[in-house]
Amino acid sequence: MNSYPHPVRVGIVGATGYAGQELVALLARHPGARLETAMSSSAESAARPMPRLARVWQGEIEPLSERRLAAAADVVFLAVPEQAAARLAPPLVDAGVRVIDLSGAFRIRDAGARARWYPETAALPSGAAYGLTEHYKDDVRGAALVANPGCYPTAALLALLPLAKAGLLDAGAGVIIDAKSGISGAGRVPSDRTHFSENHGSVSAYGVFGHRHVAEMEQELGASVTFVPHLVPLDRGILETIYVKLQAGTTAEQVADAFTSAYHAEPFVRLTGDALPEIKHVAWTNFCDVGWRFESSTRRLVIVTCLDNLVKGAAGQALQNFNVACGFDERTALL
C-alpha cells in the first residue's frame, strides 16, 4: 500500500550521468511517482534536454537548486559523487525529505573506516539504512536516508550473505572476489582509462588492495575480503567469480537450501545453480543471477554472479528501494 496520499513527488540530482539517466527513464513510467525535477549536479549548468530521454520524459534537466529540491520533492535521489552527496543529503533529511543516495557517502557505519574512504561524511544522518533490498527491507521501509549499495558489493553480497547467515561460510579462510565490470561503471566523465583505444581488445586490473568497496563488503560479511576488479570492453554489466571455503561437513544440498531459502520469494534474484550466469542475460534488467559449483572434498565453493551495473547495481536497485520505502509493489516500473 502506498503510504503517501498523492503521487510521490520525486527529484533527482545528477540526472545527466549514466545512473541518473537510468533513473529518469525508470521513474518516468512509474504509475505512483511524479518526477517534479531532474537536476544536474551543478548550479552553473544550463537547462537542457537529454536526447536519450526524448518521448520518455518531457522535462528538461535543470541546474541544481537545493531550495527548489527541498520544496518540490517528497523523495530525492542523489546520483552524484560522494562529496556532493555528503553535503546535500543532511539538510534534505532535516527538511523531512527522504533521500536515496547512490554514492558511497553513507554506506559505512564505522566512523574510522568512513573517515578513510569517505572523509567528507562526518556522520550518518539519523534513520540511515543500508539498502541491499533483499536483505534489509524492514530497515529500508522506515529509513529517512537509504544508502544504495555499490554495484560490486551488490553482486558479492547477494552471493555471499545467504551462506554467511546460514553459518556455512568459513570466514577464517577468507573470501576472494575476481570482478569484471563494463566501462560505464567508471562514470560518464572521460579519462585515459575509459578511452576507447585504451579499452578495446584489452582487460585491465585496478584498485588492488585499495578499492573502497572492500570496506562495504567486509562490513556486511564480517570476513576478510580480497577483491580485484577488472575493466573489460563492455558498455555495461558486472560478472564476479567468488572463491570461498565452507565449513567442514557442508553438503551440496545445504548450499542449495541456503540460496533457495534466501531468495525463493525475491523477484530480482535468479538462482541458476550449475548453469553459470552470463552478463548478456542480465543487461538492461534489474536481475542479479547467481550460480555456483561446490567441491565437497575440498570444501571449495565457486560462485558466479552477474548484474547490470547501471540497473541492479545503481538506478534499478535505488528504485526497488523507493518502492519498498513508499509502499509500492517492489516490482513496479522494474518488471
Side-chain angles (χ1 to χ4, degrees), residues 266-288:
E266 296 297 338
F268 294 113
V269 178
R270 303 186 299 194
L271 302 177
T272 66
D274 282 348
L276 302 180
E278 302 176 32
I279 285 175
K280 67 181 180 181
H281 300 151
V282 297
W284 300 94
T285 79
N286 197 53
F287 292 116
C288 178

Side-chain angles (χ1 to χ4, degrees), residues 1-296:
M1 183 71 68
N2 179 7
S3 56
Y4 288 85
H6 48 70
V8 182
R9 301 175 305 152
V10 175
I12 300 173
V13 183
T16 59
Y18 290 138
Q21 290 187 53
E22 292 284 343
L23 270 172
V24 173
L26 290 169
L27 283 161
R29 67 172 187 249
H30 195 297
R34 186 168 69 239
L35 185 52
E36 293 284 357
T37 179
M39 299 180 178
S40 67
S41 56
S42 169
E44 288 72 44
S45 298
R48 61 190 186 276
M50 294 297 291
R52 181 206 158 172
L53 300 174
R55 300 192 183 181
V56 175
W57 179 62
Q58 303 308 313
E60 284 191 332
I61 306 297
E62 306 174 35
L64 174 61
S65 168
E66 297 170 44
R67 179 176 298 179
R68 168 160 162 68
L69 200 61
D74 302 308
V75 179
V76 167
F77 293 85
L78 298 179
V80 294
E82 63 270 9
Q83 298 90 341
R87 178 178 63 83
L88 291 168
L92 288 169
V93 171
D94 289 344
V97 178
R98 298 180 88 170
V99 173
I100 301 177
D101 176 39
L102 278 70
S103 84
F106 303 101
R107 295 174 189 159
I108 305 302
R109 292 185 290 274
D110 179 75
R114 194 171 61 249
R116 178 184 177 189
W117 297 112
Y118 303 102
E120 301 294 329
T121 308
L124 299 184
S126 178
Y130 185 68
L132 188 69
T133 324
E134 285 77 12
H135 289 272
Y136 301 117
K137 279 191 180 70
D138 289 342
D139 294 340
V140 169
R141 285 189 185 99
L145 182 148
V146 177
N148 215 55
C151 51
Y152 283 130
T154 295
L157 294 173
L158 288 175
L160 291 167
L161 277 175
L163 303 170
K165 290 181 176 181
L168 302 180
L169 193 65
D170 182 354
V175 175
I176 297 173
I177 301 174
D178 179 295
K180 312 291 194 300
S181 175
I183 299 168
S184 60
R188 195 176 178 207
V189 177
S191 69
D192 289 346
R193 176 173 289 278
T194 60
H195 197 289
F196 175 84
S197 62
E198 296 292 330
N199 283 278
H200 182 64
S202 183
V203 176
S204 59
Y206 68 98
V208 179
F209 296 133
H211 200 290
R212 63 182 63 187
H213 282 177
V214 172
E216 196 175 332
M217 298 175 195
E218 292 184 338
Q219 168 181 273
E220 301 305 316
L221 289 172
S224 174
V225 173
T226 301
F227 173 64
V228 181
H230 301 75
L231 199 61
V232 298
L234 297 171
D235 58 347
R236 57 171 65 214
I238 282 176
L239 182 147
E240 295 184 4
T241 306
I242 302 171
Y243 307 89
V244 295
K245 278 198 169 186
L246 301 185
Q247 297 289 349
T250 299
T251 66
E253 290 75 18
Q254 287 176 299
V255 174
D257 286 348
F259 285 122
T260 302
S261 297
Y263 298 128
H264 72 279
E266 296 297 338
F268 294 113
V269 178
R270 303 186 299 194
L271 302 177
T272 66
D274 282 348
L276 302 180
E278 302 176 32
I279 285 175
K280 67 181 180 181
H281 300 151
V282 297
W284 300 94
T285 79
N286 197 53
F287 292 116
C288 178
D289 288 359
V290 181
W292 63 92
R293 302 278 177 89
F294 179 50
E295 187 177 69
S296 58

Side-chain angles (χ1 to χ4, degrees), residues 286-307:
N286 197 53
F287 292 116
C288 178
D289 288 359
V290 181
W292 63 92
R293 302 278 177 89
F294 179 50
E295 187 177 69
S296 58
S297 61
T298 61
R299 301 189 287 126
R300 293 185 301 178
L301 179 70
V302 176
I303 311 170
V304 177
T305 182
C306 293
L307 53 74

